[in-house]
């Protein structure tokens, strides 16, 4: 059989396996807590895999090795993600406890209740939805490029995107949050083992099994690869700090990660995340960095710049066998799906609960009926979101990647001061929250696109710093209502 | 005492106007949490300024020093700090899950 067709059928097989695994969550999918939150039943294994796989996306899996090959190993933005261990108990546990007591399913639920403002909740929901679309698109573009290249064009870009979207919709509709969580465990196993085997084969075949020889060859091809000066301001402490904060803040406030904090089953899971989270994240980082070093040794100045982002499939096609090529494609799917399913579930929840749910069917009083409609709306939200994302992906917008990473990540973070201060500072007021988020977004837009990075400092530092300061100062001169104080801090008094 | 009266008395106890609560109400009250608060800031600052100062070389000839430091210095230290605090001193440990 033709190699391209075999790859096509292998991917179909992988998709079917994913749907079958996800279908194990079907029994929970009839209620909104079951469908959106997996019945709040995630222990440490599902939690850590679904969160960490959600952090690393399909673009990361292809993009990091390519970045190392082009620029060396310095300018990587994800280092702040080690703070996943802090995010879970610091923000996650508080949200989780409140979500049980007060019935929250989304961060907008908490923020609109804490600040007694449906308008602010609506602003947060709309912001999150707006930022989710480019992130989802990026996953589809990465998969479309990867599958079409790996299959030698036998599976075209558009077909690849449609296959990915179809499987994503199928298992999200069937399995809900629990199903996607279980599937992420399977995907995490693929992401650990397949790249490790691929690296072992490539190093054995090209460098006599010696990593030192690999390093020497990399230095021969790219003598300045460890020269941090060549990266200019990117490798200065203030910008390393900015990158780490950007990564950390996105993790603390990104809807596809924060929503998973509601799904944990008990306090112990949050405790375990303090050490399992950072370690698992690090384990996934190692093969990605190594693939970057291999890319330098084998392909630096060999492949055209336009194909740099495809260096991983190129490497696999040139130096491994059919099974590894297919396996690595599955890993690409795994990373892309894990990120996309988190965003899709978050968007479905926001669409169902915060947008249509709050404003669309006020007349229905029966809670059971309301709950059923909420699940249906969530499923409709998944389909609508995927349709929009597929349409955008098919145009292959080059600007979307830049937009996603430049604007969406720090954009998500503009609710972080309100989340943190809203939880830990009684004084935080509605006026402070609205002013902080609004001005933070304006400052972000200005420092990203008009007065770019003033004083050489990253826009995320400017926008978040000003956001925190405005929220604090405005809250000092205003005050929250007695009702908020009583409901949120009554027990502490 | 009626529930309403009790609620009014409870409400009066919620202080947001004293200088401590007004300006530093976000700062943790427990001693261990305060230590952890400063420890995280110091850790973050140390990471920021030392990460750019590691030798610009490969460890063992093939593993970039910044990632070596990330995997074997920064993350283990972070994990150690978080584990000690959240397993030994976290106030939530004294509360039960609802």
């Amino acid at each position: 059989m033709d190699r391209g067709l075999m790859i096509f059928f292998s991917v179909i097989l992988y998709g079917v396996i994913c749907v079958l695994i996800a279908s194990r969550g079907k029994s929970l999918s009839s209620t909104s807590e079951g469908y959106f939150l997996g019945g709040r039943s995630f222990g440490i294994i599902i939690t850590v895999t679904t969160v960490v796989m959600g952090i690393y996306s399909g673009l990361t899996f292809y993009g990091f090795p390519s970045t190392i090959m082009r620029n060396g190993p310095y300018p990587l933005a994800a280092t702040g993600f080690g703070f996943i261990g802090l995010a879970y108990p610091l923000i996650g546990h508080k949200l989780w406890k409140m979500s049980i007591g007060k019935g929250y399913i989304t961060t907008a639920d908490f923020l609109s209740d804490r600040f007694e403002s449906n308008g602010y909740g609506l602003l947060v929901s709309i912001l999150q939805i707006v930022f989710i679309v480019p992130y989802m698109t990026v996953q589809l573009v990465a998969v479309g490029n990867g599958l079409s290249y790996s299959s030698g064009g036998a599976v075209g870009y558009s077909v690849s995107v449609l296959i990915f979207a179809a499987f994503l919709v199928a298992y999200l509709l069937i399995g809900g949050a629990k199903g996607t969580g279980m599937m992420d465990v399977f995907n995490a196993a693929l992401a650990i083992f397949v790249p490790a085997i691929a690296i072992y084969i490539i190093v054995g075949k090209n460098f006599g099994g010696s990593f030192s020889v690999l390093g020497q060859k990399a230095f021969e091809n790219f003598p300045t690869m460890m020269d941090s000066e060549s990266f200019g301001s990117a490798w200065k402490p203030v910008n390393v700090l900015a990158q780490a904060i950007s990564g950390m803040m996105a993790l603390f406030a990104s809807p596809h990660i924060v929503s998973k904090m509601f799904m944990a089953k008990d306090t112990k899971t949050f405790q375990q995340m303090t050490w399992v989270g950072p370690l698992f994240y690090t384990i996934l980082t190692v093969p990605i960095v190594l693939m970057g070093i291999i890319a330098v040794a084998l392909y630096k100045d060999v492949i055209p710049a336009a194909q740099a982002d495809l260096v991983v499939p190129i490497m696999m096609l040139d130096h491994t066998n059919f099974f590894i090529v297919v396996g690595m494609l599955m890993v690409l799917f795994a990373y892309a799906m894990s990120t996309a399913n988190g965003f899709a579930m978050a968007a479905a929840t926001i669409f169902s609960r915060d947008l249509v749910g709050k404003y669309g069917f006020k007349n229905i009083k029966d809670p059971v009926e309301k709950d059923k409609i909420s699940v249906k709306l969530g499923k409709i939200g998944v389909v609508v979101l995927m349709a929009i994302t597929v349409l955008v992906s098919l145009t292959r917008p080059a600007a979307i990647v830049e937009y996603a990473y430049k604007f969406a990540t720090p954009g998500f973070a503009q609710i972080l001061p309100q989340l943190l201060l809203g939880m830990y500072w009684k004084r935080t007021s509605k006026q402070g929250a609205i002013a902080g988020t609004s001005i933070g977004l304006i400052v972000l837009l200005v420092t990203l696109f008009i007065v770019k990075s003033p004083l050489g400092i990253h826009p995320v530092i400017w926008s978040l710093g000003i956001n925190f300061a405005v929220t604090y100062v405005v809250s000092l001169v205003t005050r929250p209502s007695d009702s908020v104080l009583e409901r949120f801090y009554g027990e502490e008094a | 005492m009626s529930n309403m009266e009790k609620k009014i008395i409870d409400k009066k106890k919620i202080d947001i106007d004293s200088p401590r609560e007004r300006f530093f109400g976000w700062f943790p009250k427990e001693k261990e949490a305060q230590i952890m608060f400063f420890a995280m800031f110091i850790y973050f600052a140390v990471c920021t300024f030392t990460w750019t100062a590691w030798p610009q070389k490969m460890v063992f000839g093939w593993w970039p020093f910044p990632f070596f430091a990330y995997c074997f210095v920064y993350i283990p230290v972070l994990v150690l700090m978080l584990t000690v605090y959240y397993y030994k001193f976290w106030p939530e440990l004294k509360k039960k899950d609802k």
Side-chain angles (χ1 to χ4, degrees):
Chain A
M1 190 191 283
D2 177 69
R3 185 185 172 100
L5 275 178
M6 283 170 71
I7 287 176
F8 172 77
F9 285 120
S10 305
V11 167
I12 297 289
L13 177 67
Y14 165 77
V16 172
I17 292 171
C18 286
V19 174
L20 286 174
I21 293 173
S23 68
R24 293 179 65 89
K26 192 179 176 185
S27 58
L28 286 171
S29 294
S30 54
T31 64
S32 60
E33 189 169 294
Y35 184 71
F36 297 120
L37 301 182
R40 300 182 199 271
S41 61
F42 287 13
I44 186 63
I45 292 176
I46 295 188
T47 300
V48 75
T49 49
T50 193
V51 167
V52 178
M53 290 298 290
I55 293 169
Y56 268 155
S57 67
L59 196 75
T60 312
F61 182 60
Y62 272 14
F64 268 22
S66 162
T67 302
I68 291 174
M69 182 182 74
R70 284 181 281 121
N71 303 319
Y74 287 105
L76 299 179
T79 47
F81 286 138
F83 281 81
I84 185 174
L86 183 61
Y88 253 72
L90 188 70
I91 290 183
H93 188 260
K94 274 224 170 219
L95 269 180
W96 176 78
K97 274 208 132 172
M98 282 189 289
S99 75
I100 293 172
K102 294 182 166 62
Y104 303 149
I105 282 186
T106 65
T107 37
D109 284 344
F110 164 69
L111 290 169
S112 60
D113 192 25
R114 170 64 180 79
F115 298 119
E116 293 183 303
S117 169
N118 283 337
Y120 183 66
L122 185 64
L123 170 73
V124 170
S125 304
I126 291 172
L127 272 179
Q128 292 188 328
I129 292 276
V130 166
F131 292 134
I132 280 172
V133 172
Y135 253 100
M136 294 275 294
T137 305
V138 162
Q139 309 312 314
L140 268 69
V141 171
V143 166
N145 286 334
L147 181 52
S148 62
Y149 186 85
S150 298
S151 65
V155 189
Y157 172 84
S158 304
V159 176
S160 306
V161 166
L162 288 170
I163 291 172
F164 179 77
F167 280 123
L168 200 60
V169 168
Y171 76 71
L172 283 170
L173 295 187
I174 295 169
K178 181 77 175 185
T180 58
M182 294 168 90
M183 208 200 66
D184 285 342
V185 176
F186 169 67
N187 281 337
L190 284 177
I192 290 172
F193 293 112
V194 179
I197 296 168
I199 289 166
Y200 178 78
I201 290 173
I202 295 172
V203 172
K205 187 176 166 188
N206 295 281
F207 309 104
S210 165
F211 282 88
S212 300
V213 176
L214 162 68
Q216 279 171 15
K217 183 69 183 162
F219 265 117
E220 278 173 28
N221 285 355
F222 192 178
T224 57
M225 73 179 286
M226 292 304 298
D227 239 347
S228 65
E229 284 76 19
S230 58
F231 303 108
S233 64
W235 197 239
K236 297 278 182 269
V238 67
N239 285 321
V240 167
L241 178 69
Q243 287 187 335
I245 287 180
S246 179
M248 180 174 75
M249 296 299 166
L251 174 70
F252 278 34
S254 188
H256 73 306
I257 303 299
V258 177
S259 62
K260 288 170 180 172
M261 295 179 182
F262 292 101
M263 300 171 191
K265 72 174 176 187
D266 53 20
T267 296
K268 195 178 167 192
T269 306
F270 290 89
Q271 256 186 323
Q272 291 167 325
M273 276 299 281
T274 59
W275 63 276
V276 181
L279 290 180
F280 188 64
Y281 182 79
T282 306
I283 287 170
L284 287 187
T285 306
V286 173
I288 293 178
V289 175
L290 274 176
M291 284 194 298
I293 308 290
I294 294 172
V296 172
L298 294 176
Y299 294 103
K300 177 74 179 167
D301 300 327
V302 172
I303 56 175
Q307 283 195 318
D309 281 342
L310 291 169
V311 70
V312 173
I314 291 172
M315 196 191 300
M316 297 306 140
L317 281 170
D318 289 351
H319 300 284
T320 64
N321 55 45
F322 170 79
F323 296 103
I324 297 296
V325 170
V326 171
M328 289 295 275
L329 259 181
M330 290 179 180
V331 176
L332 169 69
F333 267 63
Y335 275 117
M337 277 193 171
S338 304
T339 305
N341 67 34
F343 274 119
M345 280 308 292
T349 316
I350 293 165
F351 176 76
S352 162
R353 298 265 307 187
D354 300 332
L355 297 177
V356 185
K358 261 186 192 144
Y359 304 96
F361 51 99
K362 285 180 179 172
N363 297 334
I364 298 169
K365 302 289 179 205
D366 179 12
V368 178
E369 184 65 17
K370 212 168 180 173
D371 199 59
K372 278 184 182 169
I373 293 176
S374 180
V375 174
K376 273 185 193 166
L377 281 171
K379 292 181 176 178
I380 292 168
V382 167
V383 176
V384 171
L385 178 78
M386 285 311 301
I388 295 170
T389 313
V390 166
L391 285 176
V392 178
S393 308
L394 291 179
T395 64
R396 292 203 210 199
I400 204 92
V401 175
E402 197 182 348
Y403 167 76
Y405 280 92
K406 264 193 170 177
F407 190 44
T409 304
F412 282 135
Q414 297 310 316
I415 60 163
L416 186 77
Q418 290 66 37
L419 260 181
L420 273 174
L421 290 172
M423 284 175 189
Y424 288 100
W425 190 35
K426 286 181 274 206
R427 181 93 203 182
T428 319
S429 69
K430 169 173 131 180
Q431 294 86 344
I434 294 170
T437 300
S438 311
I439 294 175
L441 281 167
I442 293 167
V443 171
L444 179 64
L445 282 169
V446 169
T447 52
L448 266 176
F449 300 112
I450 302 170
V451 187
K452 292 180 182 174
S453 304
L455 305 175
I457 296 171
H458 195 283
V460 76
I461 301 265
W462 286 108
S463 56
L464 268 177
I466 291 172
N467 185 338
F468 262 111
V470 168
T471 309
Y472 183 74
V473 171
V474 174
S475 295
L476 278 180
V477 295
T478 53
R479 46 188 301 132
S481 73
D482 287 345
S483 152
V484 163
L485 289 175
E486 193 184 324
R487 283 189 298 115
F488 285 87
Y489 307 102
E491 287 174 15
E492 292 174 27
Chain B
M1 190 186 291
S2 71
N3 279 344
M4 184 56 77
E5 285 169 329
K6 194 170 178 298
K7 270 188 177 178
I8 290 168
I9 288 170
D10 284 347
K11 199 159 64 182
K12 281 181 183 166
K13 284 182 188 169
I14 302 172
D15 170 25
I16 61 167
D17 292 317
S18 68
R20 163 70 169 88
E21 289 299 332
R22 183 174 179 136
F23 295 102
F24 301 103
W26 43 268
F27 190 68
K29 291 187 176 67
E30 301 83 8
K31 191 180 158 197
E32 294 84 1
Q34 290 174 349
I35 293 170
M36 188 63 183
F37 183 91
F38 287 117
M40 291 313 299
F41 266 93
I42 292 166
Y43 169 80
F44 210 174
V46 168
C47 287
T48 301
F49 287 97
T50 58
W51 211 43
T52 50
W54 287 91
Q56 295 170 21
K57 290 177 179 171
M58 299 278 212
V59 184
F60 314 125
W62 56 273
W63 187 233
F65 236 120
F67 288 103
F68 178 82
Y70 182 73
C71 296
F72 295 104
V73 180
Y74 297 134
I75 289 297
V77 169
L78 177 73
V79 163
L80 186 69
M81 287 199 299
L82 292 176
T83 307
V84 168
Y85 178 74
Y86 283 105
Y87 276 79
K88 283 269 176 195
F89 303 110
W90 193 24
E92 291 295 327
L93 294 174
K94 293 168 195 158
K95 299 172 190 170
K96 283 190 174 173
D97 289 350
K98 285 178 185 173

